[in-house]
Amino acid sequence: MISWTAVLTVAFIALQAITGLIGLYQVVLSVFGLVYRRKPLVHEPAKRFAVFVAAHNEERVIAPLLTNLKRLDYPQSMYDIYVIADNCTDRTAEIAREHGVFAEERLSETERGKGYAIRWMLERLKERKIPYDAVVMFDADNLVGTNFLRVMNDRLLDGHKVIQGYLDIKNPLDSWVSVSMAISYWYTNRMWQLSRRNLGLSCALGGTGLCIDMHLINRLGWEATGLTEDVEFGAKCVVEGIYPVWAHEAKVYDEKPITLVASMRQRLRWMQGHFNCAQQYMGTLLVASLKERSLAKLDAAIYLFQPMRFLILFLTAFMFLFQNSNPTMVAGFTELLPTWFWAVINLFILIQMPLAMLLERVEWRAFIGLPLFPFFMLTWFPVTAFALFTRRNRVWKHTVHTRAIQFDDLRTR
């Protein structure tokens, strides 16, 4: 008869193998992010864009973005700005009209959230029959690099269908929470996204700073209405053999929460949506990667598995710690991968944080946040664990934005 201890030990060994291999895989891939070759602009403006700004009660932050968008280095006759005032009860739509852009007001008691708002706006564009070549999506709290549409125009003319811009933070120094989020983004941009561009793999979509070919939207439709519509649409694209590309040269600046509670609430929504997408697409991507021998699809499946991997890492570390502190009470678990392996993996990851910041030429004051970053990472465990058990939740909750920073302020910074 097989004992429960033997079953747990086998499961524990398997979990170590999976998480260890994925950790090693990511460390190897990150090496390819060390080199950045800027892609020059080679095409003249030719694509016409519909620029979507999804907004829910954003009167405090939307004006700087609209001013910014109207000053992009792109012919103004070749892009239109649509503010989707989604269930707004403030002056968001009025401010949009004052800035001379389209203010589209939407009211729905049941279908709330950015994904539904985008789908609604796409349907309205079909009715108007305006010949746009692509849709670009921003959040109301964003600021945008003036070259953004020029870069997207170039990538579209190169034949790409889905392009993700560089995700930066406009308020990194507001608190230890915002600088910790910024460190995460700088690391991800360089060691995850750029490395995948250099290897020809699919990048992860980030919810804002996203450009999608209009013909592709019309073909696939927009059914990404979950809590993380970006992850959902990106997974669907990879399943269809369409690989989103990373545009390191096109920056979008996003506002991040400055309190831990607000940050955990936002990250909970992200993780709930991520788990839903993993449940829907990870198996399909794994099977397709084996049948087609596609590294790109395997890599996309690994990305969807990341939250679960984080939970497994935390739980296995806790089990070893508990076993060592209570050897007579806890059954022994086999340590498949030696301690030095985990130490080397974690050391490489820790080194990559300041290295990515140096390579991205981050302001020196942000390095002060590095000592607190491990504490911030620990807060991901309760967020991710709670998200796993509440992943069926599809109720979107608004993140309040307040930092009305002008684009010129970013330049002086």
Side-chain angles (χ1 to χ4, degrees):
M1 183 176 179
I2 300 176
S3 68
W4 67 271
T5 303
V7 173
L8 285 177
T9 299
V10 171
F12 191 59
I13 290 173
L15 293 177
Q16 287 182 73
I18 293 170
T19 55
L21 287 173
I22 292 176
L24 180 61
Y25 170 77
Q26 179 52 43
V27 167
V28 172
L29 253 66
S30 65
V31 174
F32 293 89
L34 298 177
V35 177
Y36 167 50
R37 294 184 178 87
R38 187 179 183 88
K39 292 189 175 182
L41 298 175
V42 296
H43 300 289
E44 292 298 318
K47 297 293 185 178
R48 187 176 182 185
F49 296 95
V51 178
F52 287 3
V53 179
H56 173 70
N57 290 343
E58 301 286 10
E59 64 180 4
R60 286 187 281 185
V61 295
I62 197 168
L65 171 64
L66 298 180
T67 300
N68 174 202
L69 289 176
K70 297 195 74 175
R71 296 176 179 173
L72 298 183
D73 180 22
Y74 204 77
Q76 289 199 7
S77 62
M78 298 182 69
Y79 70 98
D80 296 316
I81 303 167
Y82 295 88
V83 172
I84 313 170
D86 188 41
N87 292 286
C88 289
T89 57
D90 66 355
R91 296 185 63 250
T92 297
E94 184 180 342
I95 292 171
R97 294 188 186 98
E98 290 172 357
H99 281 76
V101 305
F102 294 102
E104 306 292 335
E105 298 185 72
R106 173 181 178 270
L107 295 173
S108 176
E109 292 296 327
T110 56
E111 296 184 341
R112 290 177 172 269
K114 184 178 174 182
Y116 288 112
I118 291 170
R119 186 173 69 180
W120 177 83
M121 191 65 238
L122 288 170
E123 290 299 322
R124 291 179 69 86
L125 285 190
K126 281 185 182 179
E127 295 170 2
R128 298 179 186 184
K129 298 181 180 179
I130 303 175
Y132 292 114
D133 297 297
V135 172
V136 174
M137 302 175 188
F138 298 114
D139 291 337
D141 59 296
N142 293 164
L143 292 172
V144 184
T146 54
N147 69 332
F148 193 91
L149 291 184
R150 287 294 306 272
V151 174
M152 297 300 140
N153 174 75
D154 247 52
R155 301 296 178 269
L156 289 168
L157 290 171
D158 285 341
H160 299 296
K161 303 297 182 183
V162 185
I163 307 112
Q164 174 62 58
Y166 184 109
L167 299 176
D168 210 337
I169 311 298
K170 75 178 185 182
N171 63 324
L173 303 179
D174 279 1
S175 73
W176 75 277
V177 174
S178 62
V179 77
S180 294
M181 282 299 296
I183 291 170
S184 299
Y185 271 62
W186 293 321
Y187 163 74
T188 302
N189 290 339
R190 188 79 192 203
M191 302 304 186
W192 276 66
Q193 303 280 44
L194 182 61
S195 63
R196 281 161 173 78
R197 181 177 94 170
N198 290 341
L199 289 168
L201 300 176
S202 171
C203 75
L205 301 186
T208 188
L210 174 62
C211 176
I212 309 173
D213 177 80
M214 185 63 83
H215 294 296
L216 177 64
I217 292 179
N218 291 334
R219 179 164 70 85
L220 296 184
W222 185 269
E223 300 302 327
T225 56
L227 296 179
T228 49
E229 76 292 331
D230 49 342
V231 179
E232 191 175 342
F233 185 77
K236 184 175 182 178
C237 285
V238 177
V239 167
E240 295 288 332
I242 301 155
Y243 303 133
V245 297
W246 176 251
H248 206 74
E249 301 78 14
K251 285 196 173 185
V252 179
Y253 300 86
D254 194 26
E255 180 185 332
K256 291 303 172 191
I258 60 175
T259 68
L260 184 59
V261 171
S263 172
M264 292 179 75
R265 187 183 300 118
Q266 184 184 63
R267 287 180 284 149
L268 174 62
R269 172 172 60 82
W270 292 348
M271 290 298 97
Q272 287 170 332
H274 201 115
F275 276 121
N276 275 318
C277 290
Q279 185 175 352
Q280 185 177 357
Y281 290 104
M282 192 173 73
T284 302
L285 286 167
L286 277 174
V287 171
S289 70
L290 294 174
K291 285 184 176 179
E292 303 170 22
R293 298 181 182 179
S294 170
L295 178 59
K297 291 187 176 182
L298 176 62
D299 184 69
I302 290 173
Y303 170 70
L304 291 177
F305 184 70
Q306 286 299 332
M308 184 58 72
R309 174 179 172 268
F310 180 79
L311 287 180
I312 293 171
L313 281 172
F314 194 93
L315 289 173
T316 51
F318 177 78
M319 289 164 73
F320 272 130
L321 180 64
F322 191 53
Q323 176 181 260
N324 291 333
S325 61
N326 299 275
T328 61
M329 296 176 60
V330 185
F333 291 103
T334 302
E335 189 175 353
L336 174 67
L337 298 171
T339 303
W340 65 262
F341 174 86
W342 298 110
V344 169
I345 291 292
N346 290 325
L347 179 62
F348 268 102
I349 293 174
L350 287 174
I351 291 174
Q352 286 174 3
M353 299 291 177
L355 178 59
M357 295 167 71
L358 285 169
L359 292 173
E360 294 300 284
R361 300 179 182 179
V362 171
E363 186 179 357
W364 68 267
R365 288 182 295 171
F367 286 83
I368 300 173
L370 283 170
L372 290 174
F373 185 74
F375 296 100
F376 179 79
M377 289 301 296
L378 287 176
T379 68
W380 274 102
F381 175 71
V383 168
T384 309
F386 190 66
L388 175 63
F389 295 105
T390 60
R391 62 187 182 277
R392 294 178 183 239
N393 173 61
R394 292 180 64 89
V395 179
W396 176 80
K397 293 184 179 179
H398 179 226
T399 300
V400 178
H401 301 111
T402 60
R403 297 287 274 118
I405 301 172
Q406 299 290 338
F407 184 74
D408 289 342
D409 296 332
L410 293 181
R411 286 179 166 175
T412 57
R413 189 180 76 190

